[in-house]
Amino acid sequence: MNYRVHQIEVKQDNAQEKLERFLNNLDGEVLAVVPFVSPTFQGMGATSKVVFLLIVEKVE
């Protein structure tokens, strides 16, 4: 079994569209979608935001 890991840069307003478009173009089977989250500090306090997504694909 071989695996491929892809990284997709996303922003809050385009994450769904980018992920959907990317997943529809894959050849193999998607095993996992892992968000990379970064802490941020705003006026209301500490929050977090997704910087990029890692997609694990199983290929033959």
Side-chain angles (χ1 to χ4, degrees), residues 1-56:
M1 278 185 247
N2 291 325
Y3 300 93
R4 237 184 255 153
V5 179
H6 307 276
Q7 179 177 331
I8 301 176
E9 304 285 330
V10 294
K11 294 182 181 174
Q12 184 177 353
D13 59 337
N14 71 355
Q16 182 177 352
E17 293 170 6
K18 272 184 123 173
L19 180 60
E20 184 176 334
R21 193 175 322 118
F22 182 82
L23 292 175
N24 287 330
N25 290 325
L26 288 178
D27 296 327
E29 177 183 351
V30 175
L31 296 179
V33 177
V34 182
F36 182 82
V37 180
S38 174
T40 58
F41 298 96
Q42 297 180 350
M44 65 186 129
T47 62
S48 61
K49 80 176 200 181
V50 176
V51 179
F52 60 84
L53 300 171
L54 294 176
I55 293 95
V56 181

